[in-house]
């Protein structure tokens, strides 16, 4: 069974600095999808970025980028130029495209605090 | 396009009662997933529906059930509520198309069982 591990329950970063959130996963599949979701306090969870395992190029969305290391089964999220609005819980998620799965596996989350 | 909506947003129930939560997905989305979120357990997958069929189910007791209607709206029911059922219940919709797996979450229903 697949598992997703976020080993950092909480992280802090100074405004305008860069922070990296870690995520590792375990799977025997070769094709899958990885996601980072952001859940601001008392607000809806939103998708930050996605990565297809068959793509070697790391995904980037504005100030958010990932470091996808398929062999190491690592999928970290880098937030550059951190802003106060980045403060949230961040969840890493795994999705298999295999017929019959249809579910996401989420990590336990990392709470990011942004210090002014 | 309207986002995922969930009703009610807050609910207080007594142990032993039952509750029904509702989720309306984004227009055109055919897949609806339900999650239970608690501080200790994170997001736990409950079940996923696609075109009125439950395609997968998480490791929850039979007291948790769901259904999806022809318009893709989904309901989740919890019978014989226990104190441990207190949680934020999240609904997420996706198009269901192959290779398109982004999920869009609703605001959640905060259930408190006393």
């Amino acid at each position: 069974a697949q598992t997703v591990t976020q080993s950092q329950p909480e992280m802090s970063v100074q405004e305008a600095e860069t922070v990296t959130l870690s995520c590792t996963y375990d799977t025997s599949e070769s094709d899958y999808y990885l996601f980072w979701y952001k859940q601001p306090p008392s607000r809806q969870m939103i998708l930050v970025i996605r990565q297809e395992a068959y793509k070697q190029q790391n995904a980037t969305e504005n100030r958010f980028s990932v470091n996808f290391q398929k062999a190491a089964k690592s999928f970290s999220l880098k937030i550059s130029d951190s802003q106060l609005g980045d403060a949230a819980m961040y969840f890493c998620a795994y999705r298999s495209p295999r017929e019959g799965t249809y579910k996401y596996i989420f990590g336990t989350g990392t709470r990011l605090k942004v210090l002014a | 396009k309207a986002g995922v909506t969930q009703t009610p947003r807050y609910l207080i129930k007594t142990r032993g009662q039952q509750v029904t939560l509702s989720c309306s997905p984004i227009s055109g989305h055919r897949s609806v997933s339900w999650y239970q979120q608690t501080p200790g357990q994170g997001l736990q997958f409950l079940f996923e529906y696609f075109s009125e069929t439950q395609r997968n189910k998480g490791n929850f007791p039979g007291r948790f059930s769901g259904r999806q209607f022809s318009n893709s709206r989904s309901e989740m029911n919890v019978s014989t509520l226990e104190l441990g059922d207190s949680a934020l219940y999240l609904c997420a919709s996706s198009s269901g198309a192959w290779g398109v797996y982004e999920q869009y979450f609703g605001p959640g229903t905060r259930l408190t069982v006393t």
Side-chain angles (χ1 to χ4, degrees):
Chain A
Q2 297 89 4
T3 58
V4 175
T5 302
Q6 292 180 251
S7 58
Q8 307 153 315
E10 191 170 292
M11 294 278 287
S12 295
V13 63
Q14 288 290 142
E15 201 175 2
E17 296 294 307
T18 296
V19 64
T20 298
L21 309 184
S22 300
C23 173
T24 58
Y25 57 94
D26 189 27
T27 184
S28 58
E29 298 178 320
S30 59
D31 188 23
Y32 47 86
Y33 296 76
L34 298 166
F35 304 86
W36 277 100
Y37 284 89
K38 167 185 176 182
Q39 187 178 38
S42 301
R43 292 179 60 187
Q44 276 170 253
M45 183 119 56
I46 58 173
L47 176 67
V48 175
I49 201 165
R50 98 174 208 166
Q51 174 80 45
E52 294 90 336
Y54 63 85
K55 291 187 178 179
Q56 293 186 340
Q57 187 172 7
N58 290 325
T60 299
E61 287 288 341
N62 300 314
R63 298 183 295 107
F64 298 87
S65 61
V66 298
N67 183 4
F68 173 49
Q69 302 289 328
K70 190 173 183 179
K73 296 179 182 174
S74 171
F75 181 60
S76 60
L77 175 70
K78 185 172 83 170
I79 306 174
S80 304
D81 185 26
S82 295
Q83 301 175 358
L84 295 176
D86 294 333
M89 280 290 287
Y90 286 82
F91 293 94
C92 177
Y94 173 102
R95 171 65 156 94
S96 167
R98 184 167 49 91
E99 191 77 13
T101 51
Y102 312 119
K103 73 174 183 180
Y104 292 73
I105 300 167
F106 283 82
T108 51
T110 295
R111 183 174 302 280
L112 178 66
K113 294 183 177 181
V114 181
L115 309 173
Chain B
K1 205 181 249 190
V4 179
T5 58
Q6 290 187 247
T7 56
R9 292 292 309 280
Y10 302 91
L11 207 49
I12 299 175
K13 289 288 188 177
T14 303
R15 193 170 52 180
Q17 288 185 314
Q18 76 164 19
V19 66
T20 299
L21 312 181
S22 181
C23 171
S24 292
I26 290 172
S27 177
H29 282 191
R30 299 166 66 189
S31 169
V32 173
S33 297
W34 288 89
Y35 297 89
Q36 181 193 66
Q37 185 178 19
T38 58
Q41 299 294 320
L43 273 90
Q44 301 291 309
F45 171 77
L46 281 155
F47 25 65
E48 189 259 3
Y49 286 88
F50 179 83
S51 294
E52 302 179 66
T53 299
Q54 185 184 90
R55 296 198 297 187
N56 205 344
K57 190 177 190 302
N59 297 323
F60 279 82
R63 301 185 295 108
F64 292 80
S65 62
R67 59 178 176 169
Q68 187 180 34
F69 301 95
S70 58
N71 62 356
S72 293
R73 188 178 69 85
S74 178
E75 286 182 348
M76 191 193 95
N77 184 275
V78 188
S79 62
T80 319
L81 284 166
E82 300 177 359
L83 296 178
D85 297 334
S86 294
L88 180 67
Y89 289 88
L90 295 171
C91 162
S93 79
S94 61
S95 70
W98 180 262
V100 183
Y101 299 123
E102 287 87 339
Q103 286 193 312
Y104 297 85
F105 284 83
T109 294
R110 173 77 61 186
L111 172 64
T112 302
V113 182
T114 62

